[in-house]
Amino acid sequence: MRGLFITFEGGEGAGKSTQIRILADLLRASGHEVVVTREPGGSPGAEAIRHAVLSGAAEPFGAEMEAVLFAAARADHIDRTIRPALERGAVVLSDRFVDSSRVYQGVTGGLDRSFMETLERATVEDMMPDLTLILDIDPEEGMRRANVRRGALQADRFEKEGLSLHRRRRKAFLEIAKAEPKRCKVIDASRQAERIAAEIAGAVEAAIGRKNLRTGEKAG
Ligand code: T5A
């Protein structure tokens, strides 16, 4: 793949969307083609599944079926959006990806590790991110931010879960970072947005250098 695949992970309200917007502007200003996308979603089929999982409509079918739905959405997202963009040489910024399934369905959903690994192999194949930025924040502060942003709208299927579950997710993301230090970088997301953005810009610049990614590359 000629492009660069970057994913943003972390708990609710950690500031992923905010940082993706800042980074996308920065990269575009320096001449890169940037594709901003999200999970669940990022392609028409996956957006349809997003509604089913986040509304809670799929919850009665159990955690395994929810995991299968997230995986089906991811497969479509990869085929329709991520792979074509990377083949063109674009930088793809995805708000959540496979680590969210590992944490939300695998760890706090209590699903069997081998079931999750099989699902992951079947969907992600060679499409692991070049860089994963894990925005780490105290879940209490993250939920406070998410509540402010949501205003009068209802909390979704996962946002409305208890603080202890969000704490377990924070720990699980940090464990992934520890296990895969080459791919993952933990970012202290409790700071001001500008300071976080500066650290992210540095990490992304290094990843661009490692990949020897040039600007303005288009499919020939
Ligand atoms: N899910 C997802 C699974 O269970 N399995 C999976 O496989 C996948 C892919 C998706 C849900 O689906 C689950 C996980 C999630 O529960 P979503 O609606 O897409 O849900 O939402 P999230 O990804 O959780 O993202 P949020 O919208 O909650 O938060 P963000 O994007 O992390 O935060 P952001 O940037 O919107 O910021 C939140 C608020 O804080 C402010 C912003 O202005 C905004 O108001 N803010 C800051 N305030 C102070 N200081 C800073 N540094 C700030 N940065 C942002």
Side-chain angles (χ1 to χ4, degrees):
M1 291 297 165
R2 291 159 57 204
L4 186 71
F5 184 23
I6 304 174
T7 57
F8 286 70
E9 298 278 6
E12 314 289 324
K16 299 177 295 298
S17 321
T18 304
Q19 292 301 325
I20 286 175
R21 273 196 298 276
I22 298 172
L23 179 62
D25 287 348
L26 189 74
L27 291 170
R28 284 183 184 127
S30 56
H32 291 282
E33 182 197 345
V34 180
V35 173
V36 171
T37 188
R38 67 170 181 185
E39 286 206 352
S43 62
E47 288 291 332
I49 297 176
R50 177 183 175 93
H51 177 72
V53 282
L54 295 193
S55 67
E59 196 176 354
F61 299 113
E64 272 193 15
M65 280 307 116
E66 281 185 308
V68 169
L69 286 171
F70 277 111
R74 182 161 302 126
D76 193 59
H77 183 209
I78 290 172
D79 284 352
R80 304 292 175 109
T81 306
I82 299 174
R83 193 186 299 277
L86 293 176
E87 282 172 352
R88 290 197 304 273
V91 181
V92 176
L93 307 179
S94 184
D95 192 337
R96 298 192 180 278
F97 191 62
V98 73
D99 297 305
S100 285
S101 281
R102 289 181 182 181
V103 169
Y104 282 74
Q105 282 66 54
V107 177
T108 56
L111 293 184
D112 183 59
R113 202 187 176 105
S114 69
F115 171 76
M116 291 304 294
E117 283 171 358
T118 305
L119 213 49
E120 185 173 315
R121 263 198 310 279
T123 9
V124 177
E125 300 169 41
D126 56 338
M127 275 292 133
M128 278 309 276
D130 296 296
L131 174 66
T132 295
L133 297 160
I134 295 178
L135 269 57
D136 178 54
I137 195 161
D138 181 337
E140 221 163 325
E141 170 61 10
M143 293 310 289
R144 191 194 63 75
R145 287 184 189 175
N147 289 339
V148 170
R149 188 218 47 215
R150 196 171 53 243
L153 293 174
Q154 264 199 341
D156 72 29
R157 149 87 175 85
F158 298 98
E159 280 171 342
K160 65 180 188 223
E161 289 174 323
L163 208 52
S164 66
L165 216 49
H166 293 300
R167 291 210 171 96
R168 283 177 59 206
R169 287 175 183 149
R170 180 188 196 187
K171 192 164 164 267
F173 276 120
L174 294 176
E175 278 166 9
I176 291 174
K178 211 168 165 190
E180 294 184 56
K182 275 194 181 153
R183 172 173 70 90
C184 302
K185 182 169 174 58
V186 178
I187 305 282
D188 172 3
S190 68
R191 299 168 294 167
Q192 283 189 331
E194 296 72 23
R195 292 194 54 198
I196 301 168
E199 188 180 356
I200 288 177
V204 170
E205 202 180 315
I208 286 174
R210 280 196 298 276
K211 194 108 187 198
N212 201 15
L213 188 73
R214 282 165 292 154
T215 56
E217 287 196 27
K218 298 270 182 240

